[in-house]
Amino acid sequence: DLERDIEPAIHPATSALYIKHFMRPLRPQAVQDHLLQLAAPAGVPVDESTIVDFYLDTIRTHAFVVFNSVSAVSRVRTALHDRIWPDETNRKPLWVDFVPPECFADWVDMEQGSSGGRGSTSRYEVSYENDEDGHVVAKLREAGAAPPAAKRPPSQPPQPERKLSIPTGPS
């Protein structure tokens, strides 16, 4: 599937990925093994050093992965974006895009620091925005956090209530 058509990435290509829509049950080692297989060029043995850093959140919804090359990351994104993995009927297609590799440690620290241990309900997601120069910026934020206040259309004056007249017989 090297030539598979997928939607263009939001963020410019880097050596790191954000993968979301994972679901439990999911073992971190199984995810890493699958990513290593996808990252390896055809006919080349899997190399464990291809993944430089790996983080799967505690509730198994998303991962941050830093690879040793942009070409490895591109192979993984092409193979995994908008695909169901593992191939089970109750799962949603995964969503995969690039993120800055230099954010990895800070984002993992942010998630682990706020988790307060097992059983935490804090969930995080990466959002993509354009800065004032038009460059795409990836930001980690708490999922479900209230977005900035959206503009609402001006309120309409209340409409007078209409009463339906139902004919009761011949006039």
Side-chain angles (χ1 to χ4, degrees), residues 65-124:
V65 190
V66 179
F67 292 82
N68 64 3
S69 72
V70 174
S71 59
V73 169
S74 297
R75 282 189 289 276
V76 172
R77 182 175 188 274
T78 298
L80 210 53
H81 183 73
D82 203 26
R83 280 276 172 94
I84 294 174
W85 185 86
D87 190 9
E88 298 167 351
T89 56
N90 64 330
R91 296 186 184 267
K92 299 192 297 191
L94 298 176
W95 189 91
V96 185
D97 212 310
F98 301 102
V99 291
E102 61 273 10
C103 293
F104 179 88
D106 289 341
W107 288 358
V108 170
D109 288 348
M110 184 186 304
E111 287 197 25
Q112 290 178 334
S114 74
S115 70
R118 290 183 63 91
S120 169
T121 57
S122 295
R123 290 182 46 182
Y124 288 85

Side-chain angles (χ1 to χ4, degrees), residues 154-160:
S155 61
Q156 300 289 327
Q159 298 294 320

Side-chain angles (χ1 to χ4, degrees), residues 159-170:
Q159 298 294 320
E161 194 174 304
R162 291 186 177 173
K163 295 190 182 210
L164 295 175
S165 60
I166 301 172
T168 56

Side-chain angles (χ1 to χ4, degrees), residues 19 22 24 26 28 54-64 111-112 122-124:
I19 307 168
F22 283 125
R24 287 182 171 187
L26 197 65
F54 175 84
Y55 172 77
L56 180 62
D57 70 316
T58 56
I59 56 177
R60 310 290 197 256
T61 60
H62 67 273
F64 305 124
E111 287 197 25
Q112 290 178 334
S122 295
R123 290 182 46 182
Y124 288 85

